[in-house]
Amino acid sequence: MQLADHPARRRLSAALDSLSVTFRGMTAHPDECNCVCHWGSAEELALLKTPDVELEPDLLRRTWQAIDWMDHAAVLRRILPQFARALAAGRVEPLSGLEEAGYSFARGRWQQWPDEHAERVREFLHAWWAQSLTDPDAAVPAHQVFAMCAEASGTLAPWLADWEKHTGHLSDRHLAEAAAEWESELLRDSLPWSVHWYEHDEEEMRAELVAWLLGHAAARLRESGAPADLRHRIRLLGLTGEARWTDPHWPGHGY
């Protein structure tokens, strides 16, 4: 199969096209404003009130990162087709992690939008997540897409369920990479990305991720031949207190 015919890539392309159609003509609220000193000029603000005009990359970044819009949902709908394409292409560079982009989605409360609008966003997130797991040419590491989707939606369940469905070699490799990225923070009893939106329960997310790693992921890491030291570090997540740090497989570099 040619890479151009990759099913996850076709699904993502269709999801991006649907966003463009659904949110065509959207603008920021007519009375929207922002600080000239800290966000941008009046001319740039006027662009957000003009439909379907491509924004310069720096203006797009300042727009989705700003937390003080009067109507963030309207601003998000205005930039969403361009923003989603930039995300999928790996052209979004947050200050810390890609979960910052998820925070922008959460602030827009997209899950409360009209059904057609919310469904288009949901399909984009799922299509991008599936592509990150199964497409060898995916532009963004799977663990970063996962954190973004978790922060955008406030839940891990649908993204973990998708991961369980994708069981090929590439998805298994991404699981090992994600476990290696996450284990250090998880062994400190912290979530391995920052939760920005106040409505999201960081401890609940951490507990759900740990339970999944100890259950489905542990068996899968073993069956796919992941390194033994990584599998031991995941096993340690099931221990607490002294039992954890006195275990003979406790990492010597310290947490």
Side-chain angles (χ1 to χ4, degrees):
M1 180 173 60
Q2 297 295 316
L3 285 179
D5 295 327
H6 196 286
R9 193 176 300 174
R10 290 199 305 272
R11 180 185 178 186
L12 177 58
S13 178
L16 291 168
D17 288 345
S18 290
L19 286 179
S20 295
V21 171
T22 301
F23 296 99
R24 181 177 297 150
M26 297 289 182
T27 65
H29 191 282
D31 297 328
E32 189 64 81
C33 59
N34 212 311
C35 175
V36 173
C37 297
H38 297 96
W39 177 77
S41 69
E43 291 77 14
E44 288 174 321
L45 183 62
L47 291 176
L48 299 185
K49 301 175 184 180
T50 305
D52 308 323
V53 174
E54 191 87 355
L55 306 181
E56 291 295 325
D58 183 64
L59 177 57
L60 178 65
R61 176 191 58 77
R62 283 182 277 127
T63 300
W64 70 258
Q65 283 185 333
I67 63 174
D68 50 357
W69 295 114
M70 175 182 70
D71 186 343
H72 186 88
V75 170
L76 181 60
R77 287 190 289 268
R78 163 63 179 86
I79 67 171
L80 193 52
Q82 184 181 355
F83 187 21
R85 290 185 185 279
L87 283 165
R91 296 194 302 267
V92 171
E93 298 181 359
L95 294 175
S96 55
L98 202 59
E99 63 268 23
E100 289 181 36
Y103 178 29
S104 187
F105 277 69
R107 290 198 307 276
R109 296 183 180 276
W110 63 272
Q111 290 157 303
Q112 298 176 20
W113 294 356
D115 289 347
E116 181 185 2
H117 290 184
E119 183 53 38
R120 296 297 182 272
V121 178
R122 185 176 295 107
E123 171 57 16
F124 160 65
L125 294 175
H126 278 279
W128 185 29
W129 174 226
Q131 189 254 356
S132 76
L133 289 174
T134 61
D135 185 347
D137 278 1
V140 184
H143 67 275
Q144 293 183 18
V145 179
F146 181 87
M148 187 278 178
C149 290
E151 185 71 2
S153 63
T155 181
L156 304 189
W159 321 112
L160 294 177
D162 282 355
W163 213 335
E164 291 181 14
K165 294 175 186 175
H166 296 294
T167 56
H169 168 73
L170 190 58
S171 184
D172 288 344
R173 191 182 81 193
H174 290 321
L175 175 58
E177 292 168 350
E181 285 284 338
W182 293 339
E183 52 89 10
S184 175
E185 291 298 322
L186 289 172
L187 283 172
R188 295 191 186 103
D189 294 322
S190 298
L191 194 66
W193 63 84
S194 298
V195 169
H196 295 276
W197 186 232
Y198 72 97
E199 294 181 358
H200 297 171
D201 190 326
E202 182 171 355
E203 177 53 31
E204 181 179 303
M205 283 186 172
R206 188 198 65 81
E208 185 176 2
L209 182 58
V210 167
W212 188 79
L213 287 169
L214 289 171
H216 173 86
R220 190 162 161 182
L221 289 169
R222 181 178 63 252
E223 292 166 3
S224 62
D229 61 337
L230 175 60
R231 289 187 282 116
H232 277 300
R233 292 198 295 275
I234 297 304
R235 176 184 58 81
L236 288 172
L237 294 173
L239 307 178
T240 59
E242 185 176 354
R244 179 183 288 178
W245 56 262
T246 59
D247 186 281
H249 293 283
W250 177 256
H253 51 81
Y255 293 100

